[in-house]
Amino acid sequence: MGPIRNIKKVALVSALLLALTLSVGGGVASKGNDQAATYENLRLFTEVLSIVQSQYVDEVAAKDIIHSAIKGTLRGLDPHSSFLDPEMYREMQVETSGVFGGLGIEITLRDDVLTVVSPIDGTPAYRVGIQSGDRIVKIEGLSTKDMQLTDAVKRMRGKPGTKIIISIMREGFPEPKDFEITREQIHVQSVRAVPLEAGIEYIRLRQFQEQTAQDMEAALDKFTKNDKIQGLVLDLRNNPGGLLTSAVEVSERFIEAGKLVVYTEGRVRNQNMRFQANAKRVYADFPIVVLVNQGSASASEIVAGALQDHGRAVVLGTQTFGKGSVQTIIPLSDGSGLRLTTAKYFTPKGRSIQGKGVTPDIIVEVPKVTVAAAPAEQPAPAKPSGQSVDTKAQDDLKRDPQLQRALDLLKAMRILDRTRPTPAGTQAQVR
């Protein structure tokens, strides 16, 4: 009865796979040659499945074989497409809520190597000195070679208070270095805002969550109660991204209504989307400097690229990460999910960011001695607008050449604005 039962399972699996291929493939599957090739390849797959089930040294459930096959298929497409089993799918739904357990790092596959996009400020990984661009070669002694992103995330997450050792290879390291990190419940406050000095404000976006744009607007409104904003530093450094809709909502707070923020292009027509600014309130009466670095990725690059293309901000820092593809989460019938790359996004002027990143208008490198240490929270809370910055904030500025250059640039813009000749027949604006 065993072989007959296996044959029935294989036939059922084959029918399900064929139905899925025909329904998802659309016009491609309707072509004679492609349809014939699909049948042939599915026949090969069911043949292998039958042999594994009947002859492999250990008994393996058909479900496990199918899941492994799906994972292999998606891994061959790109680093960001993956299969999420029911447990991983539930964990993924937590990622954008702002609260989850783990180390506090965003990771990706770059050249088939598990790579840190960015540590999230204030998290365990951030505090021990994990940096953007670090290559994770081992997790708890297990090599990450050929490890899927979802598997790596699952291994690094765990009960708060438990420890984990990850082995890091970094430029300048003669050999991998072990970092012991204690897991915590990660609470990500996406917006941090402080005044730098009278009229010049600082907002750091750590991640793009559902409420990020609203929280940023609340911070801007709070600033304007004390003084007129004369300049803004929008810090997107080490921001690994988040929700596409959140990036659009942040961008449109500074861009004239009706202007293009970002657009996507995919193979399927419904993946071709255009996102235009449509905010009820736009902050358009002060200059902006956007800070970026290698840890600025995805949604951060959308914002930086949009403000740069429309001439709304000066982008300052170093080349961004270059993650410019759109993943769609497709729920499956058994509670699992498919994370599939369905489009690439482009800046308003048609620049693709995938694999390239955003090039700053002004390149400001961070000295190696500064990068070597764990980055500090910055800037420290300053005194209310209208008063001089406190000593701690001044120290932060001295340690942060990018932030110092941004502040100097905004002050120069303010001076130039005040000294600009007034055209005949008009009244000078008082700022």
Side-chain angles (χ1 to χ4, degrees):
M1 291 297 292
I4 295 176
R5 187 181 299 112
N6 285 341
I7 291 172
K8 288 181 178 179
K9 286 182 180 178
V10 172
L12 177 60
V13 169
S14 176
L16 288 174
L17 285 174
L18 181 57
L20 179 61
T21 303
L22 293 176
S23 63
V24 174
V28 175
S30 66
K31 296 179 181 179
N33 292 339
D34 289 342
Q35 189 175 27
T38 299
Y39 274 106
E40 188 64 31
N41 289 324
L42 283 172
R43 186 180 299 114
L44 177 62
F45 177 80
T46 56
E47 181 181 351
V48 172
L49 177 60
S50 177
I51 294 172
V52 170
Q53 285 198 299
S54 62
Q55 299 184 35
Y56 184 65
V57 63
D58 297 317
E59 187 174 351
V60 184
K63 180 179 180 181
D64 293 337
I65 300 175
I66 298 297
H67 281 191
S68 295
I70 295 172
K71 289 178 180 178
T73 299
L74 294 171
R75 180 176 175 82
L77 298 178
D78 67 79
H80 307 292
S81 295
S82 58
F83 173 73
L84 308 170
D85 62 32
E87 182 181 352
M88 290 180 178
Y89 183 57
R90 288 192 296 270
E91 287 187 2
M92 181 280 305
Q93 291 174 310
V94 174
E95 286 182 3
T96 57
S97 67
V99 180
F100 52 91
L103 310 181
I105 53 175
E106 177 85 5
I107 58 175
T108 189
L109 285 172
R110 173 165 277 184
D111 299 326
D112 291 327
V113 178
L114 198 63
T115 304
V116 175
V117 176
S118 176
I120 301 173
D121 289 2
T123 61
Y126 181 93
R127 292 195 297 269
V128 301
I130 300 297
Q131 297 179 13
S132 174
D134 282 350
R135 289 162 288 166
I136 303 175
V137 295
K138 290 183 180 180
I139 300 174
E140 289 287 278
L142 180 66
S143 173
T144 60
K145 182 177 174 59
D146 297 327
M147 185 179 291
Q148 280 199 319
L149 276 175
T150 49
D151 292 335
V153 170
K154 187 174 181 179
R155 291 179 183 278
M156 287 191 285
R157 284 185 177 171
K159 186 178 179 181
T162 58
K163 296 181 183 296
I164 184 173
I165 294 177
I166 61 175
S167 302
I168 295 292
M169 193 64 194
R170 181 186 300 168
E171 184 180 353
F173 282 7
E175 59 185 20
K177 179 180 178 181
D178 288 344
F179 285 77
E180 184 179 76
I181 309 174
T182 302
R183 297 182 178 94
E184 291 181 4
Q185 192 77 12
I186 307 300
H187 300 268
V188 181
Q189 183 179 357
S190 66
V191 177
R192 183 168 184 264
V194 294
L196 290 176
E197 63 176 50
I200 297 181
E201 318 298 348
Y202 171 97
I203 291 181
R204 185 184 188 92
L205 303 184
R206 295 185 175 98
Q207 200 176 45
F208 287 87
Q209 302 170 4
E210 292 178 3
Q211 293 298 315
T212 298
Q214 291 83 347
D215 292 345
M216 183 190 73
E217 185 171 337
L220 289 170
D221 289 343
K222 184 176 180 181
F223 286 145
T224 56
K225 288 181 181 179
N226 298 320
D227 197 356
K228 180 179 175 64
I229 297 179
Q230 300 176 33
L232 172 68
V233 176
L234 185 62
D235 193 347
L236 302 180
R237 293 175 298 178
N238 295 324
N239 182 324
L243 299 175
L244 173 63
T245 51
S246 178
V248 173
E249 290 171 354
V250 167
S251 300
E252 67 181 0
R253 296 310 199 271
F254 305 111
I255 295 175
E256 182 181 337
K259 286 190 174 181
L260 185 63
V261 174
V262 65
Y263 68 93
T264 64
E265 289 185 352
R267 183 178 170 199
V268 181
R269 183 177 298 177
N270 64 8
Q271 293 296 332
N272 298 335
M273 296 178 286
R274 296 172 66 86
F275 297 86
Q276 294 176 304
N278 190 33
K280 293 181 180 179
R281 183 175 181 184
V282 179
Y283 300 87
D285 58 347
F286 53 80
I288 303 171
V289 175
V290 176
L291 295 181
V292 297
N293 64 3
Q294 185 185 5
S296 306
S298 188
S300 296
E301 294 171 298
I302 289 177
V303 175
L307 298 186
Q308 186 181 53
D309 276 7
H310 287 300
R312 182 63 187 88
V314 175
V315 178
L316 184 151
T318 56
Q319 195 79 10
T320 62
F321 190 83
K323 201 275 187 187
S325 57
V326 178
Q327 281 71 49
T328 300
I329 307 298
I330 305 170
L332 302 177
S333 59
D334 65 345
S336 59
L338 195 62
R339 184 172 189 157
L340 190 66
T341 298
T342 53
K344 294 180 180 179
Y345 62 72
F346 297 81
T347 69
K349 288 187 177 180
R351 293 183 293 159
S352 173
I353 294 171
Q354 178 63 29
K356 302 175 183 177
V358 173
T359 302
D361 299 300
I362 301 175
I363 303 291
V364 179
E365 300 283 353
V366 175
K368 294 292 184 181
V369 64
T370 304
V371 174
E377 280 279 334
Q378 43 182 252
K383 294 181 180 180
S385 187
Q387 301 182 28
S388 60
V389 182
D390 63 17
T391 305
K392 180 65 167 62
Q394 290 284 11
D395 291 341
D396 286 334
L397 282 171
K398 291 176 183 177
R399 291 201 306 268
D400 187 346
Q402 293 171 334
L403 182 57
Q404 182 65 65
R405 282 288 296 275
L407 179 60
D408 289 343
L409 183 58
L410 287 172
K411 290 163 72 174
M413 290 179 181
R414 184 168 59 183
I415 293 170
L416 287 172
D417 189 47
R418 287 173 177 170
T419 58
R420 184 181 296 117
T422 304
T426 63
Q427 293 183 339
Q429 292 182 335
V430 179
R431 293 180 179 267

